Amino acid sequence: MRATGVVVEYNPFHNGHYYHLQESKKVTQADCMIAVMSGNFLQRGEPALLSKWKRTKMALLGGADLVIELPYAFATSHAPRFAFGSIFLLQSAGAESFCFGSESGDVSVFNDTHDMVSSQNRKYQTHVSEFMSQGLSYPAAAAKAYELLDLPVGLDLSKPNNILGFEYIRAGRELGSIIKPLTIKRKNADYHDVVLGKGDIASATAIREAVFSHDIGKAENYMPSFTIEILKDEQSIKGKLMNWEQFYPLLRYQLLSSSPAEINSFYEVEEGLEYRMIEAMKASDSFQSFMTRLKTKRYTWTRLQRACLHVLNKIHKEDMHRILDSPPAYLRVLGMTETGREYLSHVKKSIDLPLVTTFSKHDFEGLKMEAKTSLVYAQGASFNRLEAEKEEYNTPPVMVK
Amino acid sequence: MRATGVVVEYNPFHNGHYYHLQESKKVTQADCMIAVMSGNFLQRGEPALLSKWKRTKMALLGGADLVIELPYAFATSHAPRFAFGSIFLLQSAGAESFCFGSESGDVSVFNDTHDMVSSQNRKYQTHVSEFMSQGLSYPAAAAKAYELLDLPVGLDLSKPNNILGFEYIRAGRELGSIIKPLTIKRKNADYHDVVLGKGDIASATAIREAVFSHDIGKAENYMPSFTIEILKDEQSIKGKLMNWEQFYPLLRYQLLSSSPAEINSFYEVEEGLEYRMIEAMKASDSFQSFMTRLKTKRYTWTRLQRACLHVLNKIHKEDMHRILDSPPAYLRVLGMTETGREYLSHVKKSIDLPLVTTFSKHDFEGLKMEAKTSLVYAQGASFNRLEAEKEEYNTPPVMVK
């Protein structure tokens, strides 16, 4: 059986995701679609609006056959580690290739940009560091560094999605080019589009806007019916869908009851950001207004939200470094279809990493971080909180026929 | 001008308190009534249902002339340190005597019990420690230790109120017997009475029950009209009156996101209590059910609630010890009447401790703890939280004519 992989968050699963899965299947002629998916917290530094279990179900209903968890440390890391963890897991699970979405649909521009940069990698990295130390964000620094290399026009690295594709390519190369990179041209919606479009594809951002303004109906055209059903179901079980505002009282309490030194001990809180955080918090009465006060040119919104996540989850620098310094140590199966199960039983013996299907049987540091952060995630539930807390331990892999 | 003192919490101020103040004034013929009052957190290990400022106003309207804050460390400490801090502040403020409430109204039984115990103090303390290490609570251990001394019948030390009176006497003696202990016989209500009685006096416990079951009307006969007014006013400004349930999500988050070692670093978390706390929390969805699970014979409810307070406020053992090991370092004036002001200007020069009326001008460690815990207290407000957070710094002493 042949497998291909995708890297996803599905926050929530929409028609664009469906299209991407189907196209990836068609292009690769794969028997099994593997999705590496972030858990309860996402790369943009946000809580997922639905738990990992609900999003796994959507993935399986939408065309994935096997859903593997990207551990918290990688899922909430900057693009290079996020990409490395994801591609490493896909390769470890036996995928021959991976398919990412892009505006161009042309993988060669990604490959070429990568090759050009890597031919002058030391220079490039030095420039990136310099620009970042001057106060630029990572994408801005990457784009400017590329410009300085005086190479033929490549990818526009100032776009976060291109950076991600670029890092996927780099991760694949780092892993020995065994896994083949492919890209699928996106349909219609732009990543950050906040207004629902006219076709049947809209960005997840626009869909979340509609969902949180209590207007799921407005977004119905852009999501498969199973997504709508699961969204409504989750609302009825746990109260509101999760977003930062629900965790805001906890973040506020955490920031205001900790010393600057304690806050500085959390991952991604650097260069006095702890003082800015405390001051911004004292003047704000919502997460949105807090973030608006916190934002500077130096850091992207995403980067700041990630720092907030690590404060909320109390993730210390040294713990994060220890996990990020090695590739993921296990393959955690969040769910599978019949096909996924068949695939797993075929490749089981050739997989080097331990397969985790029962949480309590394993003792990996990454899993402990998963438990810790899931416990915090459960605090966002408006009701049935005790049930939400137990999900991480009690939920068996989601099965969909 | 002659002054006498009382030690109070006024949670909230009721007719019994009014009676006690008036009687104390009558008996001592004092020109100035000084009240040493706990701030936002109380000796029973609870948040005060009204802020220190509102309770100061009630104290002044009810007959006190000068309200001095008992710092957090002493206010939330066990009876010996609570009593010592209180009597020390009264003596420092120049009070000739202090008046505490008792069932008997006879100070000699307190004095005699103190003298008998202190004649065999080493033996008594050894017994108390032994009984506590066998799992008895402090009042139970004190009562049993006293029995073993084979002395004439004295105070019933198993009653928390008697223990407190006993400790006031002891503190006075420790401070050189300059300040004279007096007691006023309580009227009617028993301390822990949870049902409103027939007279015009009811316990604060019974009154809080009525207030929190949304039935202030039921308790109106037992409180002066200014208390009712202030209670209603506070509800309209900050949402609910404060109780543990409002802080429960924060305590829950704090316990579930911390390691046992971190929890053990907080004051009064001893002997593996941290593990019990985490387990009880995982199984409970309210503060009440959490406490019921946490309770053992070894610790009183009050002692456990105090440990929870220190976890909520993140008060580390070493910080608490450092403050408790010395007497309070300053006299913080929360409010005064014209008489109180006159008194202060008379005695100002003879007072050894620095007077704190403007928070920001001072740098005492005790005041920093006040700021830290008041910030946490403000998180319990349902709305106007930013205003509540600034109260500690911005509020000048309450003035009542």
Side-chain angles (χ1 to χ4, degrees):
Chain A
M1 286 177 85
R2 298 173 50 211
T4 192
V6 290
V7 180
V8 302
E9 295 198 316
Y10 295 159
N11 190 41
F13 190 94
H14 58 60
N15 292 346
H17 298 132
Y18 182 79
Y19 171 80
H20 181 77
L21 276 178
Q22 300 307 322
E23 280 295 301
S24 301
K25 218 168 197 166
K26 209 163 81 186
V27 166
T28 59
Q29 298 285 310
D31 305 301
C32 177
M33 283 297 305
I34 308 176
V36 163
M37 192 182 80
S38 307
N40 291 330
F41 295 98
L42 309 178
Q43 215 244 336
R44 289 163 64 106
E46 288 175 349
L49 83 171
L50 290 161
S51 78
K52 56 177 83 170
W53 308 106
K54 297 295 166 127
R55 282 155 47 238
T56 295
K57 194 171 172 193
M58 299 190 303
L60 297 172
L61 289 170
D65 295 302
L66 181 61
V67 181
I68 301 289
E69 180 168 60
L70 184 63
Y72 174 89
F74 293 90
T76 62
S77 202
H78 56 118
R81 285 325 271 171
F82 176 89
F84 178 81
S86 304
I87 303 304
F88 175 85
L89 286 173
L90 287 175
Q91 178 163 311
S92 301
E96 290 180 358
S97 57
F98 62 92
C99 305
F100 61 95
S102 68
E103 306 317 316
S104 68
D106 176 13
V107 80
S108 64
V109 62
F110 287 90
N111 281 324
D112 293 350
T113 304
H114 172 266
D115 294 345
M116 289 187 289
V117 164
S118 74
S119 72
Q120 301 191 41
N121 193 39
R122 195 170 300 174
K123 228 164 141 186
Y124 172 76
Q125 297 295 354
T126 312
H127 289 324
V128 170
S129 303
E130 272 169 18
F131 285 124
M132 287 184 75
S133 75
Q134 285 166 29
L136 287 190
S137 69
Y138 180 59
K144 276 207 133 187
Y146 187 84
E147 250 174 56
L148 274 191
L149 296 184
D150 201 24
L151 293 166
V153 176
L155 266 180
D156 177 359
L157 289 175
S158 71
K159 293 196 171 171
N161 255 352
N162 284 344
I163 283 270
L164 215 48
F166 175 83
E167 295 295 348
Y168 289 143
I169 302 284
R170 175 145 73 181
R173 298 291 176 88
E174 244 183 275
L175 292 165
S177 301
I178 300 159
I179 189 167
K180 188 182 166 196
L182 297 167
T183 184
I184 306 288
K185 190 170 157 50
R186 279 165 191 279
K187 249 177 110 179
N188 267 350
D190 199 355
Y191 185 59
H192 280 299
D193 245 359
V194 287
V195 187
L196 291 167
K198 279 179 191 161
D200 56 354
I201 307 259
S203 73
T205 307
I207 289 169
R208 284 195 300 275
E209 289 275 325
V211 166
F212 282 116
S213 54
H214 305 285
D215 206 356
I216 297 190
K218 227 168 118 189
E220 274 185 8
N221 289 340
Y222 306 96
M223 299 185 279
S225 58
F226 60 77
T227 293
I228 314 276
E229 212 170 288
I230 290 173
L231 282 172
K232 289 183 178 166
D233 188 43
E234 186 84 341
Q235 270 181 324
S236 72
I237 293 173
K238 288 184 194 155
K240 289 181 193 152
L241 296 170
M242 303 284 194
N243 69 14
W244 250 120
E245 295 301 345
Q246 268 136 286
F247 295 94
Y248 173 72
L250 303 183
L251 179 68
R252 174 177 198 79
Y253 163 66
Q254 177 65 9
L255 277 174
L256 297 183
S257 67
S258 305
S259 68
E262 280 175 287
I263 300 169
N264 181 274
S265 75
F266 299 124
Y267 189 63
E268 300 231 52
V269 181
E270 308 285 357
E271 302 161 339
L273 185 56
E274 62 274 21
Y275 294 99
R276 248 188 105 75
M277 282 177 146
I278 294 172
E279 287 315 306
M281 189 51 99
K282 281 188 181 166
S284 315
D285 211 7
S286 72
F287 185 74
Q288 192 63 27
S289 69
F290 165 68
M291 279 296 298
T292 306
R293 275 198 182 76
L294 192 61
K295 182 79 179 77
T296 53
K297 223 179 118 192
R298 181 175 216 85
Y299 298 115
T300 60
W301 188 277
T302 298
R303 164 77 173 70
L304 289 171
Q305 284 199 149
R306 285 205 301 262
C308 292
L309 264 197
H310 303 312
V311 172
L312 176 73
N313 284 310
K314 293 163 83 173
I315 301 297
H316 293 282
K317 289 187 167 97
E318 64 275 18
D319 297 331
M320 195 76 162
H321 286 142
R322 210 166 39 244
I323 296 180
L324 284 179
D325 280 354
S326 315
Y330 57 88
L331 272 170
R332 185 183 187 191
V333 178
L334 292 177
M336 53 198 151
T337 59
E338 262 318 314
T339 306
R341 201 157 73 118
E342 208 185 311
Y343 172 80
L344 265 189
S345 66
H346 265 88
V347 298
K348 217 168 185 171
K349 281 181 188 155
S350 58
I351 291 179
D352 288 334
L353 291 186
L355 272 178
V356 174
T357 51
T358 308
F359 191 92
S360 57
K361 284 188 183 159
H362 299 271
D363 202 32
F364 297 107
E365 207 181 346
L367 278 182
K368 282 184 196 155
M369 195 174 273
E370 220 58 49
K372 182 176 171 165
T373 56
S374 290
L375 212 46
V376 171
Y377 184 75
Q379 305 309 310
S382 318
F383 39 88
N384 281 332
R385 204 181 278 154
L386 295 194
E387 291 312 305
E389 280 176 8
K390 287 175 196 147
E391 273 183 5
E392 188 67 18
Y393 299 90
N394 293 354
T395 314
V398 180
M399 298 295 297
V400 162
K401 279 207 177 148
Chain B
M1 284 177 88
R2 297 172 52 208
T4 191
V6 290
V7 180
V8 303
E9 294 198 317
Y10 294 159
N11 191 41
F13 190 93
H14 58 58
N15 293 347
H17 297 132
Y18 182 79
Y19 171 79
H20 181 76
L21 276 178
Q22 300 307 324
E23 280 295 299
S24 302
K25 220 168 194 166
K26 208 163 80 185
V27 166
T28 59
Q29 297 286 310
D31 306 302
C32 176
M33 284 296 307
I34 308 176
V36 163
M37 193 182 79
S38 308
N40 291 330
F41 294 99
L42 309 178
Q43 215 246 334
R44 289 163 64 108
E46 288 175 348
L49 83 170
L50 291 161
S51 78
K52 56 177 82 168
W53 307 107
K54 297 296 167 129
R55 281 156 46 239
T56 295
K57 195 174 172 190
M58 298 190 304
L60 297 173
L61 290 171
D65 294 303
L66 180 60
V67 181
I68 301 290
E69 180 167 61
L70 183 63
Y72 175 89
F74 293 90
T76 62
S77 201
H78 56 117
R81 284 325 270 171
F82 176 89
F84 178 81
S86 304
I87 303 305
F88 175 85
L89 286 174
L90 287 176
Q91 178 163 314
S92 302
E96 290 180 0
S97 57
F98 62 91
C99 304
F100 61 95
S102 68
E103 305 318 314
S104 68
D106 175 13
V107 79
S108 64
V109 61
F110 286 89
N111 280 323
D112 293 349
T113 304
H114 172 267
D115 294 345
M116 289 188 289
V117 164
S118 74
S119 71
Q120 301 191 41
N121 193 40
R122 195 171 298 176
K123 227 165 143 185
Y124 171 76
Q125 297 296 353
T126 313
H127 289 324
V128 170
S129 304
E130 270 170 21
F131 285 125
M132 287 185 74
S133 75
Q134 284 166 31
L136 287 190
S137 68
Y138 179 60
K144 276 206 132 187
Y146 188 83
E147 250 173 57
L148 273 189
L149 296 185
D150 201 25
L151 293 166
V153 175
L155 266 182
D156 177 358
L157 290 174
S158 71
K159 292 196 170 171
N161 255 354
N162 284 344
I163 284 269
L164 215 48
F166 174 82
E167 296 294 348
Y168 289 143
I169 302 282
R170 176 145 72 182
R173 298 291 177 91
E174 245 182 275
L175 291 166
S177 301
I178 300 160
I179 190 166
K180 188 182 167 193
L182 297 168
T183 184
I184 306 289
K185 190 171 158 53
R186 279 167 190 278
K187 247 177 110 178
N188 266 347
D190 198 356
Y191 185 60
H192 280 301
D193 244 358
V194 288
V195 188
L196 291 168
K198 279 180 192 160
D200 56 354
I201 306 261
S203 73
T205 307
I207 289 169
R208 285 194 299 274
E209 290 276 325
V211 166
F212 284 115
S213 55
H214 303 286
D215 206 357
I216 295 190
K218 228 168 116 188
E220 274 185 7
N221 289 340
Y222 306 96
M223 299 183 281
S225 57
F226 61 76
T227 294
I228 315 274
E229 213 169 289
I230 291 172
L231 282 172
K232 288 183 177 166
D233 187 45
E234 186 86 341
Q235 269 181 324
S236 71
I237 294 172
K238 290 185 192 154
K240 288 180 194 152
L241 296 170
M242 304 285 195
N243 69 13
W244 249 119
E245 295 301 343
Q246 267 136 288
F247 295 94
Y248 173 72
L250 303 183
L251 179 69
R252 176 178 196 80
Y253 162 68
Q254 177 64 8
L255 277 174
L256 296 181
S257 67
S258 305
S259 67
E262 281 175 288
I263 300 170
N264 181 274
S265 75
F266 299 125
Y267 189 63
E268 298 231 53
V269 181
E270 307 286 357
E271 301 162 338
L273 185 57
E274 62 274 22
Y275 294 98
R276 248 188 106 73
M277 282 177 147
I278 294 172
E279 287 317 305
M281 190 50 98
K282 280 187 181 166
S284 314
D285 211 7
S286 72
F287 185 74
Q288 191 63 26
S289 69
F290 164 68
M291 278 297 297
T292 307
R293 275 197 181 76
L294 191 61
K295 181 78 180 78
T296 55
K297 222 179 118 192
R298 180 177 217 84
Y299 299 115
T300 59
W301 188 276
T302 297
R303 165 77 173 68
L304 289 171
Q305 283 200 150
R306 285 205 301 261
C308 292
L309 264 198
H310 303 313
V311 172
L312 176 73
N313 284 311
K314 295 164 81 173
I315 301 297
H316 293 282
K317 289 188 167 96
E318 64 275 19
D319 297 330
M320 195 73 163
H321 285 142
R322 208 166 40 243
I323 296 181
L324 284 179
D325 280 355
S326 314
Y330 57 88
L331 272 170
R332 184 182 188 193
V333 178
L334 292 178
M336 52 197 152
T337 58
E338 262 318 311
T339 306
R341 203 158 70 118
E342 208 184 312
Y343 172 78
L344 266 188
S345 66
H346 265 88
V347 299
K348 218 169 184 171
K349 282 181 187 156
S350 59
I351 291 179
D352 288 334
L353 292 186
L355 272 179
V356 175
T357 50
T358 308
F359 191 91
S360 57
K361 285 191 184 159
H362 298 272
D363 203 34
F364 297 106
E365 207 181 346
L367 277 183
K368 282 184 196 155
M369 194 174 273
E370 221 57 58
K372 181 176 172 167
T373 56
S374 289
L375 212 46
V376 171
Y377 184 75
Q379 306 309 309
S382 318
F383 37 88
N384 282 333
R385 205 181 278 155
L386 295 194
E387 290 313 305
E389 281 176 7
K390 287 174 195 146
E391 274 182 4
E392 188 67 17
Y393 299 91
N394 293 353
T395 314
V398 179
M399 297 295 296
V400 162
K401 281 208 177 149

